[in-house]
PDB file of all heavy atoms in Angstrom:
ATOM      1  N   ILE A  31      -3.574 -48.718  46.711  1.00 98.00           N
ATOM      2  CA  ILE A  31      -4.880 -49.102  47.247  1.00 98.00           C
ATOM      3  C   ILE A  31      -5.180 -50.555  46.911  1.00 98.00           C
ATOM      4  O   ILE A  31      -5.652 -51.325  47.757  1.00 98.00           O
ATOM      5  CB  ILE A  31      -5.964 -48.164  46.687  1.00 98.00           C
ATOM      6  CG1 ILE A  31      -5.723 -46.729  47.172  1.00 98.00           C
ATOM      7  CG2 ILE A  31      -7.356 -48.644  47.074  1.00 98.00           C
ATOM      8  CD1 ILE A  31      -6.616 -45.694  46.521  1.00 98.00           C
ATOM      9  N   GLU A  32      -4.878 -50.955  45.694  1.00 98.00           N
ATOM     10  CA  GLU A  32      -5.137 -52.324  45.272  1.00 98.00           C
ATOM     11  C   GLU A  32      -4.165 -53.300  45.928  1.00 98.00           C
ATOM     12  O   GLU A  32      -4.527 -54.442  46.229  1.00 98.00           O
ATOM     13  CB  GLU A  32      -5.056 -52.425  43.746  1.00 98.00           C
ATOM     14  CG  GLU A  32      -5.256 -53.824  43.174  1.00 98.00           C
ATOM     15  CD  GLU A  32      -6.640 -54.412  43.436  1.00 98.00           C
ATOM     16  OE1 GLU A  32      -7.526 -53.701  43.963  1.00 98.00           O
ATOM     17  OE2 GLU A  32      -6.832 -55.599  43.113  1.00 98.00           O
ATOM     18  N   ILE A  33      -2.946 -52.880  46.167  1.00 98.00           N
ATOM     19  CA  ILE A  33      -1.980 -53.743  46.859  1.00 98.00           C
ATOM     20  C   ILE A  33      -2.482 -54.084  48.255  1.00 98.00           C
ATOM     21  O   ILE A  33      -2.490 -55.254  48.668  1.00 98.00           O
ATOM     22  CB  ILE A  33      -0.594 -53.059  46.935  1.00 98.00           C
ATOM     23  CG1 ILE A  33       0.027 -52.961  45.538  1.00 98.00           C
ATOM     24  CG2 ILE A  33       0.342 -53.837  47.871  1.00 98.00           C
ATOM     25  CD1 ILE A  33       1.283 -52.103  45.489  1.00 98.00           C
ATOM     26  N   VAL A  34      -2.919 -53.079  48.992  1.00 98.00           N
ATOM     27  CA  VAL A  34      -3.434 -53.317  50.343  1.00 98.00           C
ATOM     28  C   VAL A  34      -4.658 -54.225  50.293  1.00 98.00           C
ATOM     29  O   VAL A  34      -4.800 -55.160  51.095  1.00 98.00           O
ATOM     30  CB  VAL A  34      -3.762 -51.982  51.045  1.00 98.00           C
ATOM     31  CG1 VAL A  34      -4.417 -52.241  52.396  1.00 98.00           C
ATOM     32  CG2 VAL A  34      -2.500 -51.142  51.216  1.00 98.00           C
ATOM     33  N   ARG A  35      -5.549 -53.975  49.347  1.00 97.00           N
ATOM     34  CA  ARG A  35      -6.761 -54.798  49.236  1.00 97.00           C
ATOM     35  C   ARG A  35      -6.412 -56.258  48.982  1.00 97.00           C
ATOM     36  O   ARG A  35      -6.972 -57.171  49.613  1.00 97.00           O
ATOM     37  CB  ARG A  35      -7.651 -54.285  48.106  1.00 97.00           C
ATOM     38  CG  ARG A  35      -9.026 -54.943  48.063  1.00 97.00           C
ATOM     39  CD  ARG A  35      -9.713 -54.738  46.728  1.00 97.00           C
ATOM     40  NE  ARG A  35      -9.036 -55.450  45.650  1.00 97.00           N
ATOM     41  CZ  ARG A  35      -9.159 -56.767  45.433  1.00 97.00           C
ATOM     42  NH1 ARG A  35      -9.904 -57.513  46.241  1.00 97.00           N
ATOM     43  NH2 ARG A  35      -8.522 -57.341  44.441  1.00 97.00           N
ATOM     44  N   GLN A  36      -5.471 -56.511  48.066  1.00 97.00           N
ATOM     45  CA  GLN A  36      -5.117 -57.890  47.741  1.00 97.00           C
ATOM     46  C   GLN A  36      -4.439 -58.593  48.907  1.00 97.00           C
ATOM     47  O   GLN A  36      -4.677 -59.791  49.142  1.00 97.00           O
ATOM     48  CB  GLN A  36      -4.214 -57.915  46.503  1.00 97.00           C
ATOM     49  CG  GLN A  36      -4.930 -57.594  45.215  1.00 97.00           C
ATOM     50  CD  GLN A  36      -4.088 -57.915  43.988  1.00 97.00           C
ATOM     51  OE1 GLN A  36      -3.176 -58.743  44.047  1.00 97.00           O
ATOM     52  NE2 GLN A  36      -4.399 -57.263  42.877  1.00 97.00           N
ATOM     53  N   ILE A  37      -3.588 -57.886  49.631  1.00 97.00           N
ATOM     54  CA  ILE A  37      -2.932 -58.499  50.794  1.00 97.00           C
ATOM     55  C   ILE A  37      -3.978 -58.965  51.799  1.00 97.00           C
ATOM     56  O   ILE A  37      -3.944 -60.109  52.293  1.00 97.00           O
ATOM     57  CB  ILE A  37      -1.952 -57.513  51.457  1.00 97.00           C
ATOM     58  CG1 ILE A  37      -0.735 -57.267  50.567  1.00 97.00           C
ATOM     59  CG2 ILE A  37      -1.521 -58.021  52.830  1.00 97.00           C
ATOM     60  CD1 ILE A  37       0.196 -58.451  50.424  1.00 97.00           C
ATOM     61  N   PHE A  38      -4.942 -58.130  52.109  1.00 97.00           N
ATOM     62  CA  PHE A  38      -5.954 -58.494  53.090  1.00 97.00           C
ATOM     63  C   PHE A  38      -6.911 -59.555  52.560  1.00 97.00           C
ATOM     64  O   PHE A  38      -7.446 -60.359  53.329  1.00 97.00           O
ATOM     65  CB  PHE A  38      -6.727 -57.251  53.534  1.00 97.00           C
ATOM     66  CG  PHE A  38      -6.069 -56.532  54.675  1.00 97.00           C
ATOM     67  CD1 PHE A  38      -5.043 -55.635  54.443  1.00 97.00           C
ATOM     68  CD2 PHE A  38      -6.449 -56.778  55.985  1.00 97.00           C
ATOM     69  CE1 PHE A  38      -4.411 -54.982  55.489  1.00 97.00           C
ATOM     70  CE2 PHE A  38      -5.832 -56.138  57.042  1.00 97.00           C
ATOM     71  CZ  PHE A  38      -4.801 -55.231  56.802  1.00 97.00           C
ATOM     72  N   GLU A  39      -7.121 -59.586  51.259  1.00 95.00           N
ATOM     73  CA  GLU A  39      -8.030 -60.572  50.691  1.00 95.00           C
ATOM     74  C   GLU A  39      -7.505 -61.991  50.868  1.00 95.00           C
ATOM     75  O   GLU A  39      -8.288 -62.944  51.013  1.00 95.00           O
ATOM     76  CB  GLU A  39      -8.240 -60.289  49.197  1.00 95.00           C
ATOM     77  CG  GLU A  39      -9.209 -61.253  48.511  1.00 95.00           C
ATOM     78  CD  GLU A  39      -9.350 -60.967  47.034  1.00 95.00           C
ATOM     79  OE1 GLU A  39      -8.423 -60.369  46.434  1.00 95.00           O
ATOM     80  OE2 GLU A  39     -10.384 -61.349  46.465  1.00 95.00           O
ATOM     81  N   HIS A  40      -6.195 -62.155  50.898  1.00 94.00           N
ATOM     82  CA  HIS A  40      -5.615 -63.494  50.873  1.00 94.00           C
ATOM     83  C   HIS A  40      -4.881 -63.863  52.163  1.00 94.00           C
ATOM     84  O   HIS A  40      -4.072 -64.797  52.170  1.00 94.00           O
ATOM     85  CB  HIS A  40      -4.656 -63.624  49.684  1.00 94.00           C
ATOM     86  CG  HIS A  40      -5.318 -63.423  48.353  1.00 94.00           C
ATOM     87  ND1 HIS A  40      -6.237 -64.313  47.841  1.00 94.00           N
ATOM     88  CD2 HIS A  40      -5.215 -62.417  47.452  1.00 94.00           C
ATOM     89  CE1 HIS A  40      -6.659 -63.885  46.660  1.00 94.00           C
ATOM     90  NE2 HIS A  40      -6.064 -62.739  46.403  1.00 94.00           N
ATOM     91  N   VAL A  41      -5.131 -63.140  53.244  1.00 95.00           N
ATOM     92  CA  VAL A  41      -4.490 -63.439  54.523  1.00 95.00           C
ATOM     93  C   VAL A  41      -5.562 -63.733  55.565  1.00 95.00           C
ATOM     94  O   VAL A  41      -6.574 -63.033  55.648  1.00 95.00           O
ATOM     95  CB  VAL A  41      -3.600 -62.263  54.990  1.00 95.00           C
ATOM     96  CG1 VAL A  41      -3.125 -62.495  56.421  1.00 95.00           C
ATOM     97  CG2 VAL A  41      -2.396 -62.113  54.072  1.00 95.00           C
ATOM     98  N   SER A  42      -5.336 -64.770  56.371  1.00 94.00           N
ATOM     99  CA  SER A  42      -6.267 -65.128  57.437  1.00 94.00           C
ATOM    100  C   SER A  42      -5.516 -65.159  58.771  1.00 94.00           C
ATOM    101  O   SER A  42      -4.286 -65.272  58.805  1.00 94.00           O
ATOM    102  CB  SER A  42      -6.885 -66.504  57.165  1.00 94.00           C
ATOM    103  OG  SER A  42      -5.882 -67.515  57.199  1.00 94.00           O
TER     104      SER A  42
END
Side-chain angles (χ1 to χ4, degrees):
I31 296 172
E32 178 64 7
I33 292 171
V34 175
R35 189 197 68 78
Q36 288 192 23
I37 290 291
F38 273 83
E39 181 182 24
H40 299 292
V41 171
S42 64

